[in-house]
Amino acid sequence: MARLYRAVFACVGWFAVALQYGVTLADNPDSSAGELTLNFFSYFTILSNILVALALTAPVVAPNSRPGRWFAGEGVRAAMAMYIVVVGVVYHFLLAPTWNPQGLALLGNSLLHYVMPAAFVLDWLLFAPKGRLNWGDPAKWLIFPLVYGGWTLIHGALSGWWPYPFVDVGALGLGRVLLNFVGLLVFFLIVGLTVVAIDRTFGRRDRRRVPA
């Protein structure tokens, strides 16, 4: 059941990323494909969805390989659940009111921001081993958002392009953007701690079910 579920949503995830990339190129015919590609892969949404697609794909196609075992690890899957939940929540409350995609853009957007977050969280709830996470784990999971934040500031300073309005240094100033980053990191940490709390609750439940 887990392999079938993951196979289906791995296909959905890769389709969503490919569709959104195609829409990006089609909507900007006068822009450089190289520049568009670099910017496309500078969205946290895209990077997180690629990680989720890999986490769904690797245990299906190569479960005994090193990537397959790594992506199947409970800590890795919990971290990715944290990332993709933040993607969905931040989009819904901060970004969705600011634009109105249509057609294929709407389809890709919905898959990336709603379908895949829900699908991966459900995968984690149903199929990941529980009871093995520690309260300190969410702090380690912040490495990816921290690296992404550093890349965003460097890339934006060099190109003048910013992936999200709340990290636009040109419009908001560096101090405000850094405060926004801190706020997002706190939100990541809250989501991560919630993931650990759910994991430990389910772990205690499962241990009580084990016959003596």
Side-chain angles (χ1 to χ4, degrees), residues 38-48 148 161-164:
L38 179 61
N39 291 347
F40 180 78
F41 289 105
S42 295
Y43 284 100
F44 191 83
T45 293
I46 298 301
L47 297 176
S48 297
Y148 175 79
W161 178 87
W162 305 95
Y164 304 107

Side-chain angles (χ1 to χ4, degrees), residues 6-54:
R6 289 169 178 172
V8 169
F9 282 103
C11 293
V12 173
W14 290 120
F15 170 76
V17 172
L19 174 62
Q20 196 68 19
Y21 179 66
V23 168
T24 299
L25 294 180
D27 286 349
N28 299 276
D30 298 327
S31 300
S32 162
E35 180 182 358
L36 288 174
T37 299
L38 179 61
N39 291 347
F40 180 78
F41 289 105
S42 295
Y43 284 100
F44 191 83
T45 293
I46 298 301
L47 297 176
S48 297
N49 271 275
I50 289 173
L51 287 175
V52 162
L54 287 170

Side-chain angles (χ1 to χ4, degrees), residues 91 93-101 165:
Y91 173 79
F93 288 103
L94 296 184
L95 300 174
T98 67
W99 76 310
N100 184 32

